[in-house]
Structures are given as structure tokens and as C-alpha cells.
Amino acid sequence: MDFRHAVAADAPAMAELFAANHHDALTEQERAERGFVQGDFDAGTLRSMAEEGSLLVADDDGRLAGLLGLVSPENLPGPPPPVRALLDAQDSLEWRGRPLRSTAFLLYGPVVVAAAYRGKGVARGLFTAALRAAAGRADVMVAFIELANRASWKVHVDGFGMTPLGEFTIGERAYGVVGASTRPETTPGT
């Protein structure tokens, strides 16, 4: 499996993967079992994001196994409502005792893994690739997860150890904000 930055040519496969896992394309049971993604990520949007270097993919010898967004908040003209809400909540969200606003961070997500590759370490590989890509650019990767998306919460918080930072609500939808350090942990005195 090759974990790399996406290129413009990946856009059609990325759009197909995103559409197949979109909240509106899944039944309630499928959303509960495997999670879901939201937002408007068509081939044009994904191509643009790839050209900007803000997408990572898992490439299995030419087959797209997964994708992950990783972008600086400053590079988001007209962010969608959940991103805007997260940015508006920066003073109430804390990373290691400091307001998120005073911490260099990158937005992590969406994350999508193709059905045939679930349970095979693709999400973990993308997470690790994101940590490497973020190192030196930010102190923390920050994601928001709709609290109804228990599968995503389980993977990111329970599985990858991302730290809950707080919550925000948009209308009737509640979101949890989580973060992961991009710096290797060190033991005091070493």
C-alpha cells in the first residue's frame, strides 16, 4: 500500500469513493456500522484539493483504497458550516491547556476507506501519513466528528488516541472536536 499525496488524476476515483460513503447514500444501519462522510466533494473540488496538496490517498497498485483531507484553515476560502463553527469555537476549545486559536493546527478529514479495505489498516496508514505530512507545519491535527457517527469516533478516539477538545452544535447536529499531536512524545529528562 502506497500512502501518498493525491494528484489531479485521482479525482474521479476519489469522488466515487466519497459518494459511495456519503451520509445520504447509506441506510441508517450502514451509517451506524461503518460511519459516513458529509459535504460537497465532487470531482472538481477533489481535483482542486489534490492540486493544492491537501489530500492524501492510500493507493493499492492503482486502486484507491482511501483518502484523507489535511489542510490549513487559512487555505479554506468560504469554509462549510461545520468548519466555520469549529473556527468560531477556537477560543473555547483547548489543546494542552491553551486555546486552540493560539496553537498551530491543520484540519484533518474527511477520511474515507473503501469497503474492500476496511479492517486492513488503511485508516491507520492514512492517519500515520497525515502525522508525517503535518510534522513541522502544525502542532496538532484537529478533526470534527458528528457525534451520531459513532464508528468514526471509535476509530479516531478509541483507536488512534485522538484527544477530545470540546463540542459544538449546528442546528440539531452535535459535533465533537478531537486533536492529535504532530510531535513525537518525549519522556522528561531524555
Side-chain angles (χ1 to χ4, degrees):
M1 189 72 60
D2 182 24
F3 297 96
R4 60 172 174 79
H5 277 88
V7 296
D10 294 321
M14 290 188 300
E16 185 178 320
L17 177 61
F18 196 88
N21 292 279
H22 195 275
H23 178 278
D24 298 342
L26 303 172
T27 66
E28 188 174 332
Q29 181 177 345
E30 288 170 327
R31 289 191 298 266
E33 290 173 357
R34 65 185 200 203
F36 55 88
V37 291
Q38 297 184 67
D40 296 322
F41 290 89
D42 61 13
T45 300
L46 293 163
R47 182 177 297 106
S48 176
M49 291 175 73
E51 290 168 348
E52 294 167 3
S54 60
L55 287 172
L56 300 170
V57 295
D59 181 335
D60 183 20
D61 199 24
R63 288 190 58 195
L64 187 70
L67 70 89
L68 183 149
L70 188 65
V71 64
S72 170
E74 293 83 31
N75 292 347
L76 287 175
V83 174
R84 170 70 11 230
L86 184 150
L87 297 175
D88 289 346
Q90 289 181 77
D91 292 322
S92 64
L93 300 169
E94 289 190 359
W95 176 251
R96 298 194 171 159
R98 295 182 9 206
L100 186 59
R101 184 176 305 283
S102 67
T103 305
F105 70 93
L106 294 175
L107 294 169
Y108 168 98
V111 180
V112 187
V113 174
Y117 291 92
R118 290 198 186 107
K120 297 181 178 178
V122 172
R124 168 84 56 196
L126 286 166
F127 179 77
T128 302
L131 287 172
R132 281 194 305 270
R137 294 177 54 203
D139 296 328
V140 62
M141 298 185 310
V142 176
F144 58 89
I145 302 170
E146 187 170 349
L147 295 180
N149 193 346
R150 297 299 309 157
S152 183
W153 189 269
K154 182 177 179 184
V155 166
H156 290 95
V157 177
D158 301 341
F160 299 163
M162 293 183 86
T163 303
L165 308 180
E167 297 180 5
F168 64 86
T169 303
I170 301 175
E172 308 241 340
R173 295 176 124 153
Y175 296 84
V177 180
V178 297
S181 176
T182 63
R183 300 173 186 265
E185 298 301 320
T186 58
T187 305
T190 60

